[in-house]
Amino acid sequence: MLSNSCQNIMVCITQQITCERLILKASDLGNQLEGQLFVIHVAKNEWNFLDNAKESEALEYLFKISKSVGANLSVLKSDNIVETLVNFAKENEITHVVMGESPNHHSKSNLHTELSQSLPGVEILVIP
């Protein structure tokens, strides 16, 4: 099976324009690894980002950035963000995860820890 040589990179973004740096960093990594890039945003079910002009503009901008580096942007709705990210990672045979550092270090640690425990063997890169 050739899937071991395939490098798939998942970029976890929020609906903030500043996530552009994560997509670009992951794109550089993808170029080094000759890997495929997957950009994902998970919105909680009660979040209605389409009614929020600022957030929908940011997602549209991030969609354009994703396309410019050859990646698709997936927006999924779920109340269990970690489980959704883990399932997406497994379905797409993700080998690397790129995520931003949370302003609240405890949140970042929890998400990072939960992903690390749920995805053994997947390299997780936290970008400040």
Side-chain angles (χ1 to χ4, degrees):
M1 196 164 159
L2 292 174
S3 64
N4 283 354
S5 64
C6 184
Q7 303 293 311
N8 292 327
I9 301 128
M10 177 172 80
V11 189
C12 303
I13 64 164
T14 63
Q15 69 284 8
Q16 296 174 335
I17 287 177
T18 55
C19 288
E20 173 185 10
R21 78 188 194 291
L22 301 177
I23 297 168
L24 296 176
K25 188 77 168 174
S27 175
D28 289 344
L29 179 64
N31 290 336
Q32 289 172 20
L33 298 173
E34 298 178 9
Q36 189 174 352
L37 207 53
F38 297 84
V39 181
I40 183 168
H41 171 63
V42 181
K44 290 212 176 225
N45 285 318
E46 70 269 13
W47 293 345
N48 192 351
F49 55 85
L50 295 177
D51 285 343
N52 182 326
K54 192 174 179 186
E55 288 182 8
S56 75
E57 280 176 27
L59 275 176
E60 190 174 327
Y61 175 77
L62 293 170
F63 175 76
K64 288 177 184 168
I65 296 297
S66 299
K67 286 301 247 191
S68 76
V69 297
N72 286 323
L73 168 58
S74 299
V75 178
L76 304 176
K77 291 194 91 158
S78 172
D79 286 327
N80 189 331
I81 291 173
V82 172
E83 181 182 312
T84 302
L85 291 172
V86 167
N87 289 339
F88 185 91
K90 288 179 179 176
E91 287 167 16
N92 292 286
E93 298 181 0
I94 297 299
T95 57
H96 296 74
V97 173
V98 174
M99 58 191 288
E101 185 176 57
S102 172
N104 174 349
H105 294 296
H106 298 296
S107 301
K108 185 238 15 169
S109 298
N110 288 344
L111 181 60
H112 180 269
T113 301
E114 288 185 58
L115 287 177
S116 295
Q117 291 171 346
S118 301
L119 297 169
V122 173
E123 187 176 337
I124 299 178
L125 304 150
V126 179
I127 309 301

